[in-house]
Amino acid sequence: MSAGFQLGVIGSLALSVASSVAIVICNKALISTLGFPFATTLTSWHLMVTFCTLHVAQRLHFFEPKAIDGHTVILFGLLNGTSIGLLNLSLGFNSIGFYQMTKLAIIPFTVLLETIFLKKRFSESIKLSLLVLLLGVGIASVTDLKLNMLGSILSGLAIATTCVGQILTNTIQKKLKVSSTQLLYQSAPYQAAILFATGPFVDQLLTNRSVFAHKYSAPVLGFIVLSCLIAVSVNFSTFLVIGTTSPVTYQVLGHLKTCLVLSFGYTLLHDPFTLRNILGILIAIFGMALYSYFFVREGKKKSANDALPVSQMSDKEAEPLLATKDSTDSKKANGLSHDC
């Protein structure tokens, strides 16, 4: 990996963490303090503001739009929008502890799907570091585990759609050679549309209140606007991180945000904090450090292998390359003889 690419990855990770923590604090104030509980509808506004911002940026030539197959973009957008709605429903129909378990389950299921369908290999070191991370976050955030059939089904669907959506975010960018900005610009309207259509019903089901009947005071409107502006950075950095790293790395980053939010909640908002929370966060941070170390080490090893000249490869590795070169040379010679 080049130094410029590594700086870009670090920048995208930092932007993702900062914007995500900021939006959690903003939304906590909006929902808990100001009494605006309509999370799904708010997310649809986030996505529409994101699309409008990117549209202005595109018109000002900050980036060039790239056409993507219509069916791919629509299905991708609808899938991501559905996963957001299902995660909100999972939170509404399950205990906080079971919802946290749902989020923890996304990493192992993503690893499983990538292993089965994309033939991606995860080393034992990476798996061990992920296990330590999940153990730490589980200790820090999972309190009660109340099960119910409907909540379990919604959680299963949320896990499936989230995993597939994030894998596709990475795969589409790499296979179709599109940037995170181009993909977000194309898909945001479809994500917003499904949440616009379903958000008010989902929110009324969860809160027994209508978003249309809510009294919008100046502070509520101010925090909604602020939340939407921060969401532009959140959505952009999400696609950027998944595109430049991997869905698993993005989920690891998500658990770092969970630990930071718990810490901010204790220091700034004086939320209850126990020795168990502290222990869990420390274990999770250790797991993240292990994951980062092994991820970077394996990335360097892969880059070194890719750059290895034929003369330094083993005989078995070199033979196919030499055979391919000989075959190419003979084809060129044949082509020249035909032209003559």
Side-chain angles (χ1 to χ4, degrees):
M1 287 185 283
S2 66
F5 178 78
Q6 287 181 334
L7 284 174
V9 171
I10 293 169
S12 66
L13 295 174
L15 177 64
S16 180
V17 170
S19 57
S20 294
V21 171
I23 203 168
V24 166
I25 294 171
C26 177
N27 288 350
K28 188 174 177 68
L30 181 60
I31 293 170
S32 301
T33 307
L34 298 175
F36 185 84
F38 310 108
T40 311
T41 303
L42 180 63
T43 305
S44 70
W45 297 344
H46 287 170
L47 286 161
M48 188 47 65
V49 170
T50 298
F51 171 72
C52 292
T53 304
L54 290 177
H55 185 67
V56 171
Q58 181 263 318
R59 298 287 290 182
L60 294 174
H61 304 291
F62 282 103
F63 73 95
E64 288 296 324
K66 186 172 182 178
I68 305 173
D69 176 64
H71 291 297
T72 301
V73 171
I74 292 171
L75 289 174
F76 173 73
L78 293 179
L79 178 68
N80 275 333
T82 301
S83 74
I84 294 169
L86 285 169
L87 281 169
N88 286 339
L89 283 171
S90 174
L91 177 59
F93 283 92
N94 289 304
S95 64
I96 298 291
F98 192 81
Y99 174 70
Q100 289 295 341
M101 286 297 294
T102 299
K103 290 170 65 177
L104 290 176
I106 291 173
I107 283 184
F109 272 95
T110 302
V111 169
L112 181 65
L113 289 175
E114 289 196 304
T115 302
I116 294 173
F117 295 105
L118 300 182
K119 309 301 180 188
K120 188 172 181 179
R121 292 182 180 179
F122 294 87
S123 68
E124 296 302 319
S125 302
I126 290 288
K127 290 176 183 176
L128 175 63
S129 63
L130 290 175
L131 183 62
V132 173
L133 164 67
L134 295 176
L135 177 65
V137 177
I139 292 171
S141 62
V142 176
T143 51
D144 56 328
L145 284 175
K146 296 176 182 175
L147 303 178
N148 66 81
M149 181 60 72
L150 179 58
S152 299
I153 292 171
L154 289 170
S155 291
L157 291 172
I159 291 168
T161 53
T162 302
C163 290
V164 174
Q166 290 180 359
I167 290 171
L168 284 176
T169 301
N170 179 271
T171 304
I172 289 173
Q173 289 185 55
K174 290 181 176 174
K175 288 277 180 73
L176 301 183
K177 302 286 192 297
V178 296
S179 69
S180 55
T181 311
Q182 291 167 332
L183 181 58
L184 180 59
Y185 177 62
Q186 294 281 353
S187 63
Y190 300 104
Q191 295 182 60
I194 191 168
L195 292 174
F196 263 128
T198 61
F201 301 103
V202 170
D203 288 333
Q204 185 150 16
L205 183 66
L206 297 175
T207 64
N208 292 320
R209 293 166 60 184
S210 171
V211 67
F212 303 111
H214 188 77
K215 292 182 180 179
Y216 292 87
S217 63
V220 169
L221 289 173
F223 270 89
I224 288 173
V225 171
L226 179 61
S227 180
C228 288
L229 292 175
I230 298 172
V232 175
S233 177
V234 172
N235 290 325
F236 172 72
S237 61
T238 296
F239 276 59
L240 188 61
V241 169
I242 295 175
T244 55
T245 58
S246 71
V248 172
T249 299
Y250 175 72
Q251 283 299 322
V252 170
L253 193 68
H255 292 305
L256 170 61
K257 298 170 195 173
T258 300
C259 293
L260 288 174
V261 168
L262 287 172
S263 303
F264 276 118
Y266 172 67
T267 54
L268 300 179
L269 306 174
H270 306 293
D271 289 342
F273 213 59
T274 65
L275 182 61
R276 173 179 167 173
N277 296 132
I278 297 171
L279 178 63
I281 288 174
L282 291 175
I283 293 173
I285 290 172
F286 178 64
M288 290 173 211
L290 282 178
Y291 178 82
S292 301
Y293 171 74
F294 291 129
F295 183 81
V296 171
R297 190 182 72 174
E298 291 180 13
K300 286 181 179 178
K301 191 182 294 183
K302 184 180 178 184
S303 298
N305 288 338
D306 290 343
L308 200 64
V310 174
S311 60
Q312 293 182 23
M313 292 183 183
S314 65
D315 293 340
K316 289 185 178 179
E317 288 176 316
E319 281 172 8
L321 291 176
L322 293 172
T324 304
K325 186 177 183 301
D326 291 342
S327 175
T328 305
D329 290 343
S330 63
K331 284 180 181 177
K332 284 180 180 177
N334 290 334
L336 287 171
S337 63
H338 287 311
D339 290 339
C340 293

